[in-house]
Amino acid sequence: MQVNDYQDLRVQRTITSIYDAFKQLICEKDYSKITVTELARLARINKKTFYRYYPTLDDLLRELQAQYSKAYLDEIADLRYPRDLAKSVAAFFTYSANQGEAYDRITTCTAGSYVGIRQQMINDVMTKTWGQSPEFNQLADWQKQILLNFVEQTGLKVYTTWVANGRVEPLADVIRAATALMQGGVTQYLNLTK
């Protein structure tokens, strides 16, 4: 079936409405408490319309997380690791700070429904960044895991702390602190593994 421009615009509006309603619900309650009925009501669509696009809420969540990942990966596509680690840290914090409350709820959760989907995003980002690094690929598997865990946990913990403290500190200061921690640790670690 061929879709004309008007139908395509209607589909885009429907998807946008679903996304907006979903993000609002993420900000209001735990994911496990969100229902399709509630989302459809808020998006001003019927449940059948939701199911036309998404078999489950989990599929919608996966799509949302994939969009966040892709947008971030697009921003850092030309960076090389470990050389551009400082640029990567700045990009992560700047990107994250501009995504909104729903992104923050998913990214900074410490337990519950979002941890798994967040980890998938992190794994995807790490594979497409560090996985392309010649220095990284010379490490033994256990050394790679240590490095990835350090980078992941440090960046995430600094961002989570900043958000939990109400984003009071200037973003530039937070980026400087995270960069010092991460770059210093990675540089030292890579020197030790040579």
Side-chain angles (χ1 to χ4, degrees):
M1 179 173 107
Q2 204 169 25
V3 178
N4 66 38
D5 288 341
Y6 177 71
Q7 288 171 318
D8 190 45
L9 187 58
R10 285 179 46 203
V11 168
Q12 289 174 17
R13 279 196 297 255
T14 300
I15 297 294
T16 298
S17 180
I18 290 170
Y19 265 67
D20 291 346
F22 190 49
K23 288 177 183 179
Q24 182 179 334
L25 290 169
I26 287 171
C27 295
E28 293 174 0
K29 58 178 65 184
D30 185 69
Y31 177 71
S32 64
K33 302 226 186 306
I34 297 172
T35 66
V36 172
T37 302
E38 181 179 35
L39 187 143
R41 183 179 43 72
L42 193 58
R44 302 178 91 182
I45 60 170
N46 64 46
K47 285 171 55 172
K48 277 180 158 178
T49 302
F50 174 85
Y51 288 119
R52 182 179 305 141
Y53 300 106
Y54 303 100
T56 67
L57 283 172
D58 289 345
D59 294 304
L60 175 57
L61 180 60
R62 269 191 289 282
E63 184 176 291
L64 177 64
Q65 197 65 24
Q67 285 186 357
Y68 286 138
S69 295
K70 183 185 177 322
Y72 174 65
L73 285 167
D74 288 348
E75 284 195 23
I76 62 170
D78 296 330
L79 301 183
R80 298 295 166 249
Y81 295 80
R83 180 191 76 201
D84 295 326
L85 182 59
K87 290 177 185 175
S88 176
V89 172
F92 168 72
F93 279 86
T94 303
Y95 173 81
S96 296
N98 291 315
Q99 296 312 302
E101 187 181 349
Y103 173 90
D104 282 350
R105 299 231 15 190
I106 294 168
T107 303
T108 64
C109 71
T110 56
S113 305
Y114 300 121
V115 172
I117 200 78
R118 180 190 68 208
Q119 192 59 50
Q120 288 176 356
M121 180 190 88
I122 291 169
N123 293 345
D124 188 37
V125 168
M126 292 299 189
T127 299
K128 290 180 177 153
T129 55
W130 284 97
Q132 309 308 311
S133 166
E135 294 94 329
F136 176 77
N137 286 315
Q138 290 175 1
L139 300 173
D141 286 343
W142 68 274
Q143 293 170 320
K144 289 177 184 178
Q145 198 59 48
I146 289 170
L147 178 67
L148 291 180
N149 284 337
F150 172 75
V151 170
E152 170 190 328
Q153 293 303 315
T154 303
L156 198 53
K157 192 63 176 170
V158 172
Y159 185 74
T160 299
T161 301
W162 182 60
V163 169
N165 288 338
R167 298 176 173 227
V168 175
E169 299 80 12
L171 183 58
D173 291 350
V174 175
I175 291 171
R176 253 191 312 281
T179 300
L181 285 169
M182 292 168 73
Q183 201 160 33
V186 168
T187 301
Q188 282 291 96
Y189 184 71
L190 289 175
N191 286 337
L192 288 174
T193 59
K194 287 183 182 178

Short mmCIF file of all heavy atoms in Angstrom, two decimals, residues 48-81:
data_model
loop_
_atom_site.label_atom_id
_atom_site.label_comp_id
_atom_site.label_asym_id
_atom_site.label_seq_id
_atom_site.Cartn_x
_atom_site.Cartn_y
_atom_site.Cartn_z
N LYS A 48 -6.05 0.19 19.92
CA LYS A 48 -5.77 -0.47 18.65
C LYS A 48 -4.70 0.29 17.87
O LYS A 48 -3.85 -0.30 17.22
CB LYS A 48 -7.03 -0.57 17.81
CG LYS A 48 -7.93 -1.70 18.11
CD LYS A 48 -9.09 -1.58 17.14
CE LYS A 48 -9.80 -2.86 16.92
NZ LYS A 48 -10.94 -2.69 16.03
N THR A 49 -4.78 1.60 17.91
CA THR A 49 -3.80 2.42 17.20
C THR A 49 -2.40 2.20 17.79
O THR A 49 -1.42 2.06 17.06
CB THR A 49 -4.18 3.92 17.27
OG1 THR A 49 -5.47 4.07 16.70
CG2 THR A 49 -3.18 4.79 16.54
N PHE A 50 -2.32 2.16 19.11
CA PHE A 50 -1.03 1.89 19.74
C PHE A 50 -0.48 0.57 19.23
O PHE A 50 0.68 0.47 18.82
CB PHE A 50 -1.15 1.87 21.27
CG PHE A 50 0.13 1.46 21.93
CD1 PHE A 50 1.13 2.38 22.19
CD2 PHE A 50 0.37 0.13 22.26
CE1 PHE A 50 2.33 1.99 22.77
CE2 PHE A 50 1.57 -0.27 22.83
CZ PHE A 50 2.55 0.67 23.09
N TYR A 51 -1.30 -0.48 19.28
CA TYR A 51 -0.84 -1.82 18.90
C TYR A 51 -0.54 -1.94 17.40
O TYR A 51 0.17 -2.85 17.00
CB TYR A 51 -1.86 -2.87 19.34
CG TYR A 51 -1.85 -3.07 20.84
CD1 TYR A 51 -2.98 -2.82 21.60
CD2 TYR A 51 -0.70 -3.51 21.49
CE1 TYR A 51 -2.98 -3.00 22.98
CE2 TYR A 51 -0.68 -3.69 22.87
CZ TYR A 51 -1.82 -3.44 23.61
OH TYR A 51 -1.79 -3.61 24.96
N ARG A 52 -1.03 -1.03 16.61
CA ARG A 52 -0.68 -1.02 15.18
C ARG A 52 0.81 -0.72 15.03
O ARG A 52 1.46 -1.21 14.10
CB ARG A 52 -1.52 0.03 14.45
CG ARG A 52 -1.24 0.05 12.95
CD ARG A 52 -2.08 1.08 12.22
NE ARG A 52 -3.50 0.88 12.49
CZ ARG A 52 -4.36 1.88 12.68
NH1 ARG A 52 -3.96 3.13 12.62
NH2 ARG A 52 -5.63 1.63 12.92
N TYR A 53 1.35 0.08 15.93
CA TYR A 53 2.75 0.50 15.83
C TYR A 53 3.69 -0.26 16.76
O TYR A 53 4.87 -0.42 16.44
CB TYR A 53 2.86 2.01 16.11
CG TYR A 53 2.07 2.83 15.13
CD1 TYR A 53 0.88 3.44 15.51
CD2 TYR A 53 2.50 2.99 13.82
CE1 TYR A 53 0.14 4.18 14.60
CE2 TYR A 53 1.76 3.74 12.91
CZ TYR A 53 0.58 4.32 13.31
OH TYR A 53 -0.15 5.05 12.41
N TYR A 54 3.19 -0.69 17.91
CA TYR A 54 4.03 -1.33 18.92
C TYR A 54 3.32 -2.54 19.51
O TYR A 54 2.25 -2.38 20.09
CB TYR A 54 4.38 -0.35 20.05
CG TYR A 54 5.04 0.90 19.54
CD1 TYR A 54 4.32 2.07 19.38
CD2 TYR A 54 6.39 0.89 19.19
CE1 TYR A 54 4.93 3.21 18.88
CE2 TYR A 54 6.99 2.02 18.69
CZ TYR A 54 6.26 3.19 18.54
OH TYR A 54 6.86 4.30 18.04
N PRO A 55 3.92 -3.72 19.40
CA PRO A 55 3.29 -4.90 20.00
C PRO A 55 3.17 -4.80 21.53
O PRO A 55 2.20 -5.28 22.10
CB PRO A 55 4.23 -6.05 19.61
CG PRO A 55 4.98 -5.55 18.42
CD PRO A 55 5.08 -4.06 18.59
N THR A 56 4.15 -4.14 22.17
CA THR A 56 4.14 -4.00 23.62
C THR A 56 4.77 -2.66 24.02
O THR A 56 5.43 -2.01 23.21
CB THR A 56 4.96 -5.12 24.31
OG1 THR A 56 6.35 -4.93 23.97
CG2 THR A 56 4.51 -6.51 23.89
N LEU A 57 4.60 -2.30 25.28
CA LEU A 57 5.29 -1.12 25.82
C LEU A 57 6.81 -1.31 25.78
O LEU A 57 7.55 -0.36 25.59
CB LEU A 57 4.83 -0.83 27.25
CG LEU A 57 3.47 -0.17 27.39
CD1 LEU A 57 3.06 -0.13 28.86
CD2 LEU A 57 3.47 1.22 26.80
N ASP A 58 7.25 -2.55 25.99
CA ASP A 58 8.69 -2.83 25.94
C ASP A 58 9.27 -2.48 24.57
O ASP A 58 10.40 -1.98 24.47
CB ASP A 58 8.97 -4.30 26.24
CG ASP A 58 8.72 -4.66 27.69
OD1 ASP A 58 8.61 -3.75 28.54
OD2 ASP A 58 8.64 -5.87 27.99
N ASP A 59 8.50 -2.74 23.52
CA ASP A 59 8.97 -2.39 22.17
C ASP A 59 9.10 -0.88 22.01
O ASP A 59 10.04 -0.39 21.39
CB ASP A 59 8.03 -2.97 21.11
CG ASP A 59 8.06 -4.48 21.10
OD1 ASP A 59 9.15 -5.05 20.93
OD2 ASP A 59 6.97 -5.08 21.27
N LEU A 60 8.14 -0.15 22.56
CA LEU A 60 8.20 1.31 22.52
C LEU A 60 9.42 1.80 23.31
O LEU A 60 10.16 2.68 22.85
CB LEU A 60 6.92 1.91 23.09
CG LEU A 60 6.87 3.44 23.23
CD1 LEU A 60 7.12 4.14 21.90
CD2 LEU A 60 5.52 3.86 23.82
N LEU A 61 9.65 1.23 24.47
CA LEU A 61 10.81 1.61 25.28
C LEU A 61 12.11 1.31 24.55
O LEU A 61 13.02 2.14 24.52
CB LEU A 61 10.78 0.90 26.63
CG LEU A 61 11.93 1.21 27.58
CD1 LEU A 61 11.99 2.69 27.92
CD2 LEU A 61 11.80 0.37 28.86
N ARG A 62 12.19 0.14 23.91
CA ARG A 62 13.40 -0.21 23.14
C ARG A 62 13.63 0.79 22.00
O ARG A 62 14.75 1.20 21.75
CB ARG A 62 13.28 -1.62 22.59
CG ARG A 62 13.85 -2.68 23.51
CD ARG A 62 13.97 -4.02 22.82
NE ARG A 62 12.68 -4.66 22.58
CZ ARG A 62 11.96 -5.28 23.49
NH1 ARG A 62 12.39 -5.37 24.73
NH2 ARG A 62 10.81 -5.84 23.18
N GLU A 63 12.55 1.16 21.33
CA GLU A 63 12.68 2.12 20.22
C GLU A 63 13.14 3.48 20.73
O GLU A 63 14.01 4.12 20.13
CB GLU A 63 11.36 2.25 19.48
CG GLU A 63 11.45 3.17 18.27
CD GLU A 63 10.16 3.22 17.49
OE1 GLU A 63 9.79 2.20 16.86
OE2 GLU A 63 9.50 4.28 17.53
N LEU A 64 12.58 3.93 21.84
CA LEU A 64 12.99 5.21 22.43
C LEU A 64 14.47 5.17 22.80
O LEU A 64 15.23 6.09 22.48
CB LEU A 64 12.13 5.51 23.66
CG LEU A 64 12.47 6.78 24.43
CD1 LEU A 64 12.24 8.02 23.56
CD2 LEU A 64 11.64 6.86 25.70
N GLN A 65 14.88 4.10 23.45
CA GLN A 65 16.28 3.97 23.85
C GLN A 65 17.19 3.89 22.63
O GLN A 65 18.28 4.47 22.62
CB GLN A 65 16.45 2.75 24.76
CG GLN A 65 17.72 2.77 25.54
CD GLN A 65 17.78 3.91 26.54
OE1 GLN A 65 16.77 4.44 26.98
NE2 GLN A 65 18.97 4.32 26.88
N ALA A 66 16.76 3.20 21.59
CA ALA A 66 17.56 3.10 20.36
C ALA A 66 17.73 4.48 19.72
O ALA A 66 18.79 4.80 19.18
CB ALA A 66 16.90 2.13 19.39
N GLN A 67 16.69 5.30 19.80
CA GLN A 67 16.79 6.65 19.25
C GLN A 67 17.80 7.49 20.04
O GLN A 67 18.58 8.24 19.46
CB GLN A 67 15.43 7.34 19.23
CG GLN A 67 14.54 6.83 18.14
CD GLN A 67 13.24 7.61 18.04
OE1 GLN A 67 12.96 8.51 18.81
NE2 GLN A 67 12.43 7.25 17.07
N TYR A 68 17.76 7.36 21.36
CA TYR A 68 18.75 8.06 22.18
C TYR A 68 20.16 7.61 21.81
O TYR A 68 21.06 8.43 21.64
CB TYR A 68 18.52 7.80 23.68
CG TYR A 68 17.34 8.51 24.29
CD1 TYR A 68 16.50 7.83 25.19
CD2 TYR A 68 17.06 9.85 24.04
CE1 TYR A 68 15.42 8.48 25.79
CE2 TYR A 68 15.98 10.49 24.63
CZ TYR A 68 15.17 9.80 25.51
OH TYR A 68 14.11 10.43 26.11
N SER A 69 20.36 6.31 21.69
CA SER A 69 21.68 5.76 21.35
C SER A 69 22.16 6.26 20.00
O SER A 69 23.29 6.69 19.85
CB SER A 69 21.64 4.23 21.31
OG SER A 69 21.37 3.70 22.55
N LYS A 70 21.28 6.17 19.01
CA LYS A 70 21.66 6.57 17.67
C LYS A 70 22.03 8.05 17.61
O LYS A 70 23.04 8.43 17.01
CB LYS A 70 20.54 6.28 16.68
CG LYS A 70 20.93 6.62 15.24
CD LYS A 70 19.77 6.44 14.29
CE LYS A 70 20.10 6.84 12.87
NZ LYS A 70 20.95 7.98 12.68
N ALA A 71 21.25 8.88 18.25
CA ALA A 71 21.53 10.32 18.23
C ALA A 71 22.88 10.61 18.88
O ALA A 71 23.67 11.42 18.37
CB ALA A 71 20.42 11.09 18.93
N TYR A 72 23.17 9.94 19.99
CA TYR A 72 24.45 10.15 20.66
C TYR A 72 25.60 9.61 19.79
O TYR A 72 26.62 10.28 19.63
CB TYR A 72 24.46 9.48 22.04
CG TYR A 72 25.79 9.54 22.72
CD1 TYR A 72 26.34 10.75 23.10
CD2 TYR A 72 26.53 8.39 22.95
CE1 TYR A 72 27.59 10.82 23.71
CE2 TYR A 72 27.76 8.44 23.57
CZ TYR A 72 28.28 9.65 23.93
OH TYR A 72 29.52 9.72 24.53
N LEU A 73 25.42 8.43 19.23
CA LEU A 73 26.46 7.86 18.37
C LEU A 73 26.73 8.72 17.15
O LEU A 73 27.87 8.84 16.71
CB LEU A 73 26.10 6.43 17.96
CG LEU A 73 26.26 5.38 19.06
CD1 LEU A 73 25.59 4.07 18.66
CD2 LEU A 73 27.73 5.16 19.38
N ASP A 74 25.69 9.35 16.63
CA ASP A 74 25.88 10.27 15.50
C ASP A 74 26.77 11.45 15.90
O ASP A 74 27.59 11.91 15.12
CB ASP A 74 24.54 10.79 14.99
CG ASP A 74 23.74 9.74 14.23
OD1 ASP A 74 24.29 8.67 13.89
OD2 ASP A 74 22.54 9.99 13.97
N GLU A 75 26.59 11.91 17.13
CA GLU A 75 27.40 13.05 17.62
C GLU A 75 28.86 12.69 17.80
O GLU A 75 29.73 13.55 17.67
CB GLU A 75 26.83 13.57 18.94
CG GLU A 75 25.57 14.37 18.77
CD GLU A 75 25.22 15.18 19.99
OE1 GLU A 75 26.11 15.48 20.82
OE2 GLU A 75 24.04 15.52 20.12
N ILE A 76 29.14 11.45 18.14
CA ILE A 76 30.53 11.07 18.43
C ILE A 76 31.14 10.18 17.35
O ILE A 76 32.20 9.58 17.56
CB ILE A 76 30.64 10.38 19.81
CG1 ILE A 76 29.82 9.10 19.85
CG2 ILE A 76 30.23 11.34 20.92
CD1 ILE A 76 30.07 8.24 21.07
N ALA A 77 30.50 10.12 16.20
CA ALA A 77 30.91 9.19 15.14
C ALA A 77 32.36 9.35 14.70
O ALA A 77 33.01 8.37 14.35
CB ALA A 77 29.98 9.34 13.94
N ASP A 78 32.88 10.56 14.72
CA ASP A 78 34.24 10.79 14.23
C ASP A 78 35.30 10.72 15.32
O ASP A 78 36.48 10.93 15.04
CB ASP A 78 34.31 12.16 13.55
CG ASP A 78 33.43 12.21 12.31
OD1 ASP A 78 33.24 11.16 11.67
OD2 ASP A 78 32.91 13.30 12.00
N LEU A 79 34.91 10.41 16.54
CA LEU A 79 35.88 10.36 17.64
C LEU A 79 36.60 9.01 17.65
O LEU A 79 36.04 7.98 17.28
CB LEU A 79 35.19 10.59 18.97
CG LEU A 79 34.45 11.92 19.12
CD1 LEU A 79 33.88 12.05 20.53
CD2 LEU A 79 35.35 13.10 18.80
N ARG A 80 37.85 9.03 18.10
CA ARG A 80 38.68 7.82 18.21
C ARG A 80 39.11 7.67 19.66
O ARG A 80 39.43 8.65 20.33
CB ARG A 80 39.91 7.90 17.30
CG ARG A 80 39.56 8.01 15.83
CD ARG A 80 38.86 6.75 15.33
NE ARG A 80 38.25 6.97 14.04
CZ ARG A 80 36.93 7.02 13.82
NH1 ARG A 80 36.09 6.89 14.81
NH2 ARG A 80 36.45 7.20 12.62
N TYR A 81 39.16 6.43 20.11
CA TYR A 81 39.44 6.15 21.52
C TYR A 81 40.78 5.45 21.65
O TYR A 81 41.11 4.62 20.83
CB TYR A 81 38.31 5.28 22.08
CG TYR A 81 37.01 6.04 22.08
CD1 TYR A 81 36.25 6.16 20.92
CD2 TYR A 81 36.57 6.69 23.21
CE1 TYR A 81 35.08 6.90 20.91
CE2 TYR A 81 35.40 7.43 23.20
CZ TYR A 81 34.66 7.53 22.04
OH TYR A 81 33.52 8.26 22.03
#
